[in-house]
Amino acid sequence: MAQPELLTDSLLSRIFQAYEKKGETPVFTLNRYEDDAKKVLKQDRYAGELLLGMIAGLRRDADAVGEHYKTAAHLANSVATHHNFVHAFERANDYSGAKAAVLASLETLDKSAPEDLELVSDNALFYGLTDEAVQLCDKLKKLKSKEDANLFLEGVQAAAIPHLQDLLMAVYAVLARHKLIITRRATVLQQLYGSSFFEYVFSVLEKDAAKLAQYQYEICEAVAAYEVEHNLTSSPVSFQLERELSV
């Protein structure tokens, strides 16, 4: 039998490739991954729980992701653990779980590691944690001795958009309801008549244009309903879906 470290590295590589392919992973492939993960589990509890959690994400099984996350985080409360489970929760359409993992990654972050700063700040931005994201980006600029500015992030922080975190969660609730897979995320900053407008863009796997339009309508309705319920004025932020046709 392969050494557990070699099997872990090989299986992680295959799992990450499955996430990058963006489409649904065949059940027989997931079963094979799971068999290997159980072999690892017998000799390395943490690695096994991490692998099984990532596989559960590919299965779109949010409850299983949560169980493996709880155990893995208990065994190794590290930014790597939390960051990997952000991906697992998102693939399983559990965005509340993903946000909790983002918050945990902020607490365990090594602020001297530029790669981690970049990854965690990006996740923070897409869950509306703009103050935290700006702090991490400022730290990253100092480490890299660069003055590159994230104008979107700095602008949205300055705008202090009320309830941004909750508005994003309302968007994610629509994506979760339709079990959509997010393939890419982007931000767009627009200037019009001296004012700034902010747009979050999510590419999702949906080939049917009519369905995509319906999802977009539901997102607009959910955001508007939240603003009405909380007596908010219309905010300078929008949420846009785009079609990702590749699988």
Side-chain angles (χ1 to χ4, degrees), residues 73-143:
H74 175 74
L75 294 169
N77 182 27
S78 67
V79 68
T81 301
H82 304 305
H83 180 69
N84 282 319
F85 273 95
V86 170
H87 294 304
F89 278 119
E90 288 182 339
R91 183 55 67 93
N93 294 121
D94 182 352
Y95 295 99
S96 294
K99 183 179 179 181
V102 172
L103 290 168
S105 71
L106 287 166
E107 294 176 359
T108 54
L109 177 67
D110 177 1
K111 294 184 179 179
S112 65
E115 182 177 329
D116 288 348
L117 285 169
E118 194 165 2
L119 291 173
V120 176
S121 63
D122 183 65
N123 282 333
L125 171 60
F126 280 91
Y127 283 89
L129 304 165
T130 52
D131 291 343
E132 294 85 344
V134 167
Q135 291 174 10
L136 297 182
C137 286
D138 287 344
K139 181 67 175 178
L140 184 62
K141 285 189 288 187
K142 292 178 182 178
L143 289 176

Side-chain angles (χ1 to χ4, degrees), residues 66-242:
E67 288 299 317
H68 291 299
Y69 177 48
K70 181 179 179 181
T71 303
H74 175 74
L75 294 169
N77 182 27
S78 67
V79 68
T81 301
H82 304 305
H83 180 69
N84 282 319
F85 273 95
V86 170
H87 294 304
F89 278 119
E90 288 182 339
R91 183 55 67 93
N93 294 121
D94 182 352
Y95 295 99
S96 294
K99 183 179 179 181
V102 172
L103 290 168
S105 71
L106 287 166
E107 294 176 359
T108 54
L109 177 67
D110 177 1
K111 294 184 179 179
S112 65
E115 182 177 329
D116 288 348
L117 285 169
E118 194 165 2
L119 291 173
V120 176
S121 63
D122 183 65
N123 282 333
L125 171 60
F126 280 91
Y127 283 89
L129 304 165
T130 52
D131 291 343
E132 294 85 344
V134 167
Q135 291 174 10
L136 297 182
C137 286
D138 287 344
K139 181 67 175 178
L140 184 62
K141 285 189 288 187
K142 292 178 182 178
L143 289 176
K144 289 189 172 183
S145 299
K146 291 183 178 181
E147 294 301 323
D148 296 338
N150 185 327
L151 297 179
F152 179 93
L153 180 53
E154 293 176 2
V156 79
Q157 182 200 37
I161 298 170
H163 301 233
L164 178 59
Q165 294 182 40
D166 293 330
L167 291 172
L168 278 162
M169 294 307 291
V171 173
Y172 289 133
V174 175
L175 302 183
R177 184 163 63 246
H178 296 289
K179 300 187 182 302
L180 294 171
I181 294 176
I182 298 174
T183 60
R184 289 179 295 169
R185 307 181 299 187
T187 54
V188 178
L189 173 63
Q190 299 182 14
Q191 299 288 340
L192 184 63
Y193 303 122
S195 298
S196 297
F197 295 87
F198 309 95
E199 185 173 73
Y200 283 85
V201 183
F202 302 94
S203 295
V204 295
L205 282 176
E206 177 54 72
K207 294 182 179 180
D208 189 316
K211 287 184 178 180
L212 188 71
Q214 176 61 33
Y215 304 151
Q216 183 67 63
Y217 174 78
E218 290 180 27
I219 284 174
C220 293
E221 286 285 289
V223 169
Y226 184 91
E227 290 175 337
V228 169
E229 181 181 354
H230 294 84
N231 297 315
L232 303 178
T233 57
S234 181
S235 58
V237 61
S238 63
F239 309 94
Q240 183 69 35
L241 296 186
E242 290 184 349

